[in-house]
Amino acid sequence: MLETKNINFYYGNFHALKNISMKMEINTVTAFIGPSGCGKSTFLRLFNRMNDLIDDTHLTGECLIDEQNIYHKSVQVDELRKKVGMVFQKPNPFPKSIFENVAYGLRVNDIRNKSFIAQRVEESLKAAALWDEVKDKLKKSAFELSGGQQQRLCIARALAISPSILLMDEPASALDPISTSKIEELIYSLKKDYTIVIVTHNMQQAARVSDKTGFFMLGELIEFNDTKKMFLNPDKEQTQNYITGRFG
Amino acid sequence: MDKKTKQKIAFIIFRTLSLCVVGILVWILGFIIYNGIEVIGWEFLTTAPSEGMTAGGIFPAIVGTLCLVVGSIVIAFPVGIMSGIYISEYAKNGWIVKFIRVMTNNLGSIPSIVFGLFGMALFVNMFGFGDSIIAGSFTLGLLILPLIIRTTEEALKAVPDAYRVGSLALGASKLQTVTRVVLPTAFPNIVTGMILSIGRVSGETAPILFTVAAYFLPKLPSSIFDQVMALPYHLYVIATSGTDIEASRPIAYGTALTLVAIVFLMNLLATTLRHYFGKKVKSH
């Protein structure tokens, strides 16, 4: 379970996230929507501490995974990132072979058993619905794949180290419609094994793939509700306005 | 005059000037080849100078220059690459980085004769290496260090941040990210630093003048503490202070041609390597 309590986040003096408290259940898909710059990606990156990489940032409040505050001093960031995988907006495979891309997370975590690695690579590629397309060219460069395939490769790469949570930062925004629908199907099938949090600009996408939706605006979580309710009958007027396209 | 004509004239001038540059290079090469080719032969390349350097070959100078190239690269490369990694990947963009960068640039603009003098004071005298390959290699290594640091830094900067972020998000440490993703990606460009520094090292005369180069030494070095002859210094010697300058003129051109050919061959090798690694790293 993911939970935040009174999260405030600052880039220098800029107050990017304002007092956000929410809960996400395991094996659900949660979508964050909202206009550009509303803080939804910043909020997503809290959960694997990718914001740590940015200089001059500041956080208050608690961010809990399975009841443990992941910003506590005793937490090892690389251990956390093994549990919380991430897929980025633009497919970012490494300049390595398809096989090595998926094996990378295992290798950096000191797993050397070759047959185990090969097995995990196959399982992960299958889970990411890419295996049939690449099984005969695992040694080929990842750059030979199409954009959509690259993104599924990045998903496989994240799955290989067996995370329990998967963060997706606009995973389909750089892809064509067919690749996008493949990613969406994939998200749906991954739900039974992973807790997924996805940031998206595409409201139809949020409606299609998620169980719950959070609407962000200007650093505030305006509404967090069941996706169905959110899109049919939201509680807040601002949500209604955004969803019907009156602004943003 | 209308815009189009002006543009035409401007580009004609630009093109002429850039062709001039090519022309000058061709002229220099042609001049050296024309004057030097007749003495080049198996014997010239494989024997020591004889008869007051008016006859014989330049074999010891070739060996000496190769020793210095290898020596200075062995010394400067690890230091330069690691400094480049530190500046580009680890150091926060504060005053330390600025300071290191400014100092590196300053080091790069010190005249090479000053390096020679410094090398003599430090390596030859203080460390007691004497005139030797190791003293010369250290001196040349210092000379090319800024070049290597800068090219490493640039090469690392050209690696997309998406690779670093992607690696860190998989639980890799910063060091793993650098050694397994960033460095291999940057490697072809780092090789460029090697290409440039090889050319620089084989051609420099001033830094080796007081640290390693021998006026005449027909026997080959047996250890890194021996002196050697080197091509650029040999060229200088037979062109200015040989026993019979007129008689050794063809040898001087032959030496120049050999020097240029060695630099050219090494560049070719490095370009091939770069291409090879580049292919392995990139797809298209």
Side-chain angles (χ1 to χ4, degrees):
Chain A
M1 193 175 69
L2 281 75
E3 187 177 2
T4 63
K5 290 180 182 163
N6 306 104
I7 286 283
N8 282 283
F9 188 83
Y10 305 83
Y11 293 107
N13 290 323
F14 177 67
H15 197 170
L17 295 174
K18 294 169 187 163
N19 210 33
I20 296 178
S21 300
M22 69 167 357
K23 269 188 195 175
M24 290 172 266
E25 301 296 330
I26 55 167
N27 296 2
T28 59
V29 177
T30 305
F32 294 154
I33 57 170
S36 299
C38 66
K40 56 193 190 300
S41 288
T42 304
F43 188 65
L44 184 78
R45 286 198 304 263
L46 284 179
F47 293 100
N48 65 343
R49 292 185 58 171
M50 287 311 263
N51 288 330
D52 291 15
L53 303 176
I54 304 167
D55 289 338
D56 196 24
T57 56
H58 176 60
L59 173 79
T60 65
E62 281 180 57
C63 185
L64 309 157
I65 293 178
D66 297 333
E67 263 133 59
Q68 193 196 10
N69 184 0
I70 59 168
Y71 284 86
H72 191 268
K73 269 187 225 123
S74 65
V75 173
Q76 298 244 328
V77 179
D78 36 355
E79 291 300 313
L80 169 75
R81 288 179 186 152
K82 266 163 64 181
K83 274 202 305 201
V84 187
M86 187 164 202
V87 177
F88 298 86
Q89 181 172 1
K90 268 179 73 183
N92 61 344
F94 302 130
K96 297 176 185 289
S97 69
I98 293 168
F99 184 93
E100 282 306 320
N101 261 281
V102 184
Y104 184 84
L106 301 165
R107 294 199 198 281
V108 295
N109 287 299
D110 283 329
I111 292 166
R112 296 212 177 79
N113 184 331
K114 273 188 186 162
S115 58
F116 177 76
I117 291 178
Q119 185 199 336
R120 274 307 295 161
V121 168
E122 184 176 338
E123 286 167 3
S124 311
L125 285 168
K126 279 180 176 160
L130 189 61
W131 175 252
D132 290 334
E133 291 157 66
V134 301
K135 62 177 183 236
D136 299 323
K137 49 177 183 179
L138 294 174
K139 292 240 164 71
K140 289 268 173 68
S141 164
F143 292 147
E144 286 181 20
L145 301 175
S146 72
Q149 288 174 323
Q150 288 187 11
Q151 193 63 305
R152 277 179 283 145
L153 180 69
C154 291
I155 294 173
R157 185 173 74 181
L159 298 180
I161 46 175
S162 314
S164 51
I165 298 162
L166 203 54
L167 309 174
M168 301 179 132
D169 192 356
E170 300 184 41
S173 67
L175 305 179
D176 61 82
I178 294 171
S179 305
T180 301
S181 69
K182 280 193 182 158
I183 301 276
E184 287 178 12
E185 282 166 31
L186 182 56
I187 292 171
Y188 197 78
S189 76
L190 290 173
K191 190 170 79 169
K192 64 180 188 332
D193 299 312
Y194 304 91
T195 306
I196 297 173
V197 188
I198 175 172
V199 163
T200 178
H201 262 119
N202 180 335
M203 272 174 291
Q204 287 78 21
Q205 186 171 70
R208 281 193 297 262
V209 301
S210 69
D211 302 302
K212 288 201 156 204
T213 301
F215 170 55
F216 284 78
M217 211 172 79
L218 300 172
E220 281 179 84
L221 180 62
I222 305 292
E223 182 168 350
F224 183 50
N225 228 326
D226 284 343
T227 299
K228 274 206 183 107
K229 179 153 178 24
M230 193 89 162
F231 283 94
L232 293 175
N233 183 25
D235 291 336
K236 299 272 169 63
E237 205 191 327
Q238 282 161 301
T239 317
Q240 178 78 34
N241 288 346
Y242 182 70
I243 287 169
T244 54
R246 243 166 266 169
F247 68 91
Chain B
M1 220 174 355
D2 69 356
K3 258 203 300 204
K4 264 197 177 153
T5 331
K6 264 193 196 162
Q7 167 162 303
K8 232 178 200 167
I9 293 174
F11 282 123
I12 288 173
I13 295 174
F14 298 162
R15 184 186 300 139
T16 315
L17 288 176
S18 42
L19 284 177
C20 274
V21 175
V22 178
I24 290 168
L25 179 70
V26 171
W27 190 2
I28 294 177
L29 284 180
F31 178 74
I32 293 173
I33 292 171
Y34 176 77
N35 287 296
I37 196 78
E38 57 190 289
V39 298
I40 299 274
W42 189 244
E43 207 195 324
F44 182 72
L45 296 175
T46 55
T47 58
S50 55
E51 294 171 38
M53 293 192 274
T54 57
I58 53 167
F59 185 59
I62 295 175
V63 172
T65 287
L66 291 179
C67 288
L68 291 173
V69 166
V70 172
S72 56
I73 279 175
V74 164
I75 290 163
F77 249 64
V79 181
I81 289 179
M82 285 189 247
S83 310
I85 292 173
Y86 175 74
I87 297 173
S88 154
E89 302 292 318
Y90 284 89
K92 291 245 157 84
N93 231 340
W95 66 271
I96 296 188
V97 171
K98 272 185 202 143
F99 181 72
I100 296 179
R101 203 171 281 139
V102 168
M103 282 324 207
T104 311
N105 286 340
N106 284 342
L107 190 66
S109 55
I110 291 176
S112 56
I113 186 73
V114 178
F115 275 99
L117 223 52
F118 176 75
M120 180 178 71
L122 188 69
F123 303 120
V124 175
N125 296 333
M126 213 170 116
F127 290 177
F129 293 152
D131 279 358
S132 60
I133 294 174
I134 185 165
S137 297
F138 268 108
T139 312
L140 287 168
L142 285 185
L143 182 84
I144 58 171
L145 205 48
L147 188 66
I148 293 167
I149 293 176
R150 220 174 309 145
T151 37
T152 305
E153 209 190 323
E154 296 299 324
L156 293 175
K157 263 197 212 141
V159 176
D161 253 344
Y163 294 170
R164 296 183 180 86
V165 178
S167 167
L168 293 170
L170 290 165
S173 69
K174 215 165 178 180
L175 183 64
Q176 285 174 324
T177 301
V178 169
T179 54
R180 291 173 190 232
V181 178
V182 180
L183 261 189
T185 312
F187 192 72
N189 284 334
I190 293 178
V191 171
T192 315
M194 195 154 115
I195 298 174
L196 297 172
S197 54
I198 286 172
R200 189 88 198 269
V201 166
S202 16
E204 279 292 343
T205 317
I208 56 174
L209 207 53
F210 320 123
T211 55
V212 52
Y215 178 81
F216 177 66
L217 187 67
K219 111 180 153 32
L220 296 183
S222 57
S223 86
I224 54 169
F225 294 101
D226 286 346
Q227 261 189 293
V228 283
M229 296 177 81
L231 286 170
Y233 182 62
H234 185 61
L235 180 57
Y236 167 73
V237 164
I238 52 180
T240 59
S241 56
T243 46
D244 184 350
I245 290 169
E246 277 312 310
S248 47
R249 193 69 85 200
I251 293 180
Y253 283 118
T255 309
L257 182 55
T258 312
L259 184 55
V260 171
I262 286 179
V263 174
F264 181 76
L265 282 178
M266 283 188 174
N267 282 4
L268 200 68
L269 175 77
T271 316
T272 316
L273 271 179
R274 185 179 167 200
H275 189 72
Y276 172 74
F277 286 118
K279 248 195 186 156
K280 267 181 76 181
V281 168
K282 277 197 209 113
S283 65
H284 359 252

